[in-house]
Each structure stands twice: as C-alpha cells, then as structure tokens.
Amino acid sequence: MRLFADSADLDGKIDWLLVLYYFRSIHDYTLPIDLFGGAGNGGASIDQNQHGVTTSMAAFARAEVHVTDKWSISFGGRQTWDKKTHNSYAQQYVGLPVPSAPSRIYVRKKWRNFSLELGSSYKFDNDKLVYVRYAEGYRGGGMQPFPTTFAGSTPYDPETVKSYQIGAKTDWLDKRLRVNVDLFWNDYENLQRTLGVKALGGASLLLTENIPGATTKGFEIETVAVPVDRLTLRGSVAYLKTKYKGYVADVLGTGVVTDNNYFRFAYAPKWVGTAGADLTLIDNGVGKVVASADYSYTGRQLVYGIEIPAADEKSYGLVDLSLRYTDPSDRYTISLYGENVFNKYYRTSVETVSNLALTAVASPPASYGVTVGAKF
C-alpha cells in the first residue's frame, strides 16, 4: 500500500513529494524429500515446511528547489522499518530413521535504515543539462530457507550502497542528435552473497551471508540520431568494473577459507552495447508502417555467483527484427516480430548441486510472432 502527496510551492520554486509505504507478505511452502526410495520402499520421506511473515514500512520525502531558472538542487530521505519471522519444521513419515536437524527452528529479526539523497542540476539552455547526484541505497536482510541446524538459521543482514553520479543530457543539431552521458561509482557494504557451508553428513549447503563490501564503477553513453526524415538511429555503450573488498570465505563449503577478491560480479559483463534503426516505410492516409532492426551485445560474463570455469560465458550478440503497422487514428497496431533471429545459443545461468553436478539454463531459441494492440 502506498500513499502519495505532492505539491509545488512558492510560485513553483519548490516541488516536493511525500510517500508512505506499507507491505506485508505471508508465505507457506513445503518441500517433499524422498530418501532411498521413500517411506514405502525401505527409505524415508520427509516434508520440509516453512512459514514466513514479512512486514515493511517506510516514509519517503523529497524536495527540489529551483534556485534560478537554470539551477536546481534536490534532497530527500527514506526511513525504513523491516520485520521478518521464519518458522521451519520437518515432518518425517514412517520409514528409515534419518538423523537430522531440530524438528522446528523459529527465527525473528528486525532492521531499520535511513537513506539520504542529494543532487543538483544546471541547464545551459533547453537542450543541454548537467547533473550530479549522491544517493544511499538499502537492500533488506532475510532468512535462510530450510535451515538444518540452529547455526545455519542465522539471518543475513541488509546491504547498503553509497552511489555517486555525474552526467549530461544534451540535444544537438536542432534536436536531430541526442547524446546522454553518465559516469558512476558505487560503494557497497555488507554485500549479500551465497556461500557454501558444511551440512549434516558432510554435504555442502548454500546459505546467504554478508561479506564486507565491493565497489563498482563505469560509464554509459546513449545516442539517438535522425540523419534524414523517416530514419532514426540509436545506440548505447556501457562499461562496468567490479571489485570485491574483504571477500575471504569458504565459498564452496569444503571447509577451506580462500581469498575471493578476484571474483567477478555475476551477470555483470564489462561491456554491453546496443545498436538499432527505425525506418518509416509508409506514413499517409492508410496508416504508418515502420521497420525496425536491433542488435545487442553482451560481453564475457560470469553466470553463477562463484567464480568457476564452467560459469564463464563468452560474449554474444543478438538480432531482433520487427514490422509494425499503426492505423490512421493511432489507436490500433499490429506487429510482426522475430527475436534472436539467428538462433544464437548462450547460457543464462548455471547451478551446482551439492558440488556433485552442474546444471545450465539455455538461452531462448529464435522466436517469431504477431502482436495486436489497441488504445482505449
């Protein structure tokens, strides 16, 4: 539930916004486990049950002061209160006795956070603007699913980030060329990461825990150009560099603590880019027909939370095509589209199963279809 209030005061010199937020979620989940064929075949059958309640409340306020017609400053803050409870219990059916964790583990935890935002922007004219921004972010803590020991039920704490940005938004050549540039640097603390720990029987168990921190930095450039009427070209390029701090832990659950500061962030390639074009083929009394082509590039990346060779995915590029018709009233559209038309194969993720097996999720294949839309 969200409540909003906003206004402009002092003849438009101050714009302000107030938001109150409330969220409550209850979940119940049962994981059935059959060991050695299950209870009916000389083994054992166990239901692992969990019941959790999440409550989150927050108050957010922001104001923007227009010091002059060209210069503005902004400031804001958010206070958050989180509360989570987690009740995990195992129910074993008739079968082979299984030495396991306590039958019921109950965990309760509260967190609170205040995050700040500051910024300023300056307009040289109606087509060019520069800005700077500082913001603090907060990602709530949580509970371990299906803990098998009291030690393994320890909640993980929130992670926080301090973000710094500087950039420009510009239009040139009578608005036929747009160039936007953004440079950023982020400093994370208590970063949440999945680590391996020893479980019952010597197997490894993956738990979410906090590590000291990390930094990310990079830039993004976006361009849109209209060299001639009916043709629009667009493109973007982004660079990201990540670096862990103090990431010393047993990540595989082998009992060996290692220095993991060389790990890359998962799903965070150094380079990504896009290029596309829209060509208006018809624009008259019968409607409008636009042909579009888009190319996206994703650089080499890690597709698992731990740096292992099997999770190193090579760079790849995808091509999408579409042909869209809009009727003269601009109410109805019909589009023919093709996604990943050259059927490029890549892996979206990999997972390990107790360090015994590796599974991978493959990319969606080439797909084609038709969409129809209407405005009311």
Side-chain angles (χ1 to χ4, degrees):
M1 180 178 67
R2 294 181 177 88
L3 297 177
F4 297 88
D6 62 85
S7 180
D9 296 326
L10 299 178
D11 295 327
K13 291 292 185 180
I14 300 178
D15 298 320
W16 60 270
L17 172 69
L18 175 64
V19 180
L20 300 178
Y21 171 86
Y22 176 81
F23 173 82
R24 182 178 173 85
S25 173
I26 301 175
H27 74 271
D28 288 281
Y29 183 75
T30 298
L31 176 65
I33 302 173
D34 287 329
L35 301 175
F36 311 110
N41 297 290
S45 295
I46 302 172
D47 277 354
Q48 281 276 22
N49 305 282
Q50 66 174 352
H51 172 83
V53 179
T54 298
T55 303
S56 181
M57 298 183 293
F60 170 77
R62 184 180 187 275
E64 184 172 9
V65 181
H66 305 286
V67 182
T68 68
D69 292 339
K70 294 184 176 182
W71 179 36
S72 297
I73 59 175
S74 61
F75 51 91
R78 175 187 173 112
Q79 177 66 52
T80 303
W81 300 268
D82 287 338
K83 175 183 175 182
K84 292 187 177 182
T85 62
H86 187 262
N87 190 9
S88 178
Y89 57 97
Q91 179 180 0
Q92 182 175 345
Y93 299 104
V94 177
L96 179 71
V98 178
S100 62
S103 60
R104 185 178 295 271
I105 298 176
Y106 178 79
V107 183
R108 178 181 179 182
K109 187 75 173 181
K110 293 181 180 180
W111 300 278
R112 63 175 59 189
N113 171 266
F114 179 77
S115 297
L116 182 68
E117 177 193 8
L118 299 170
S120 181
S121 64
Y122 184 84
K123 291 182 179 179
F124 293 96
D125 52 44
N126 290 332
D127 296 333
K128 298 174 182 63
L129 173 147
V130 294
Y131 62 88
V132 294
R133 182 174 182 263
Y134 168 78
E136 298 173 348
Y138 164 82
R139 182 181 183 184
M143 304 295 184
Q144 310 292 350
F146 303 119
T148 58
T149 64
F150 285 113
S153 67
T154 303
Y156 52 92
D157 288 326
E159 71 176 47
T160 59
V161 61
K162 296 178 180 178
S163 174
Y164 306 84
Q165 285 180 280
I166 181 172
K169 298 180 182 294
T170 64
D171 287 334
W172 307 83
L173 304 177
D174 197 22
K175 296 188 182 296
R176 283 187 173 268
L177 175 64
R178 171 168 295 175
V179 181
N180 297 333
V181 180
D182 184 78
L183 292 85
F184 60 87
W185 183 75
N186 302 313
D187 186 9
Y188 293 88
E189 292 185 357
N190 287 330
L191 203 62
Q192 296 169 2
R193 285 296 182 264
T194 300
L195 306 178
V197 298
K198 281 288 186 180
L200 292 174
S204 68
L205 179 67
L206 296 179
L207 297 179
T208 300
E209 297 184 2
N210 297 97
I211 65 172
T215 59
T216 64
K217 56 185 176 181
F219 66 84
E220 183 175 6
I221 302 174
E222 298 178 326
T223 61
V224 179
V226 185
V228 296
D229 294 342
R230 298 196 176 198
L231 176 63
T232 299
L233 305 177
R234 56 185 180 276
S236 67
V237 61
Y239 171 79
L240 176 67
K241 183 177 182 180
T242 64
K243 179 65 176 178
Y244 282 109
K245 298 185 299 183
Y247 194 176
V248 179
D250 173 16
V251 297
L252 296 176
T254 60
V256 178
V257 175
T258 56
D259 183 346
N260 312 300
N261 286 305
Y262 70 94
F263 279 13
R264 291 169 289 169
F265 273 36
Y267 311 106
K270 278 190 175 182
W271 291 98
V272 295
T274 65
D278 298 324
L279 178 62
T280 301
L281 303 175
I282 300 174
D283 190 3
N284 53 34
V286 300
K288 186 176 183 179
V289 178
V290 178
S292 299
D294 290 279
Y295 172 80
S296 62
Y297 169 83
T298 301
R300 177 187 173 194
Q301 64 176 323
L302 189 69
V303 292
Y304 183 52
I306 298 175
E307 187 88 32
I308 57 176
D312 189 14
E313 186 65 20
K314 295 180 179 179
S315 61
Y316 59 88
L318 305 177
V319 175
D320 299 335
L321 301 173
S322 69
L323 186 66
R324 182 177 69 255
Y325 166 78
T326 305
D327 79 303
S329 69
D330 198 33
R331 288 190 59 191
Y332 304 100
T333 60
I334 181 170
S335 299
L336 307 177
Y337 69 87
E339 297 179 346
N340 189 14
V341 295
F342 294 111
N343 200 32
K344 180 67 177 178
Y345 171 83
Y346 57 96
R347 297 171 304 162
T348 60
S349 67
V350 300
E351 295 288 341
T352 60
V353 181
S354 296
N355 294 329
L356 300 176
L358 185 75
T359 63
V361 178
S363 58
S367 59
Y368 305 88
V370 178
T371 62
V372 178
K375 297 178 183 179
F376 298 98

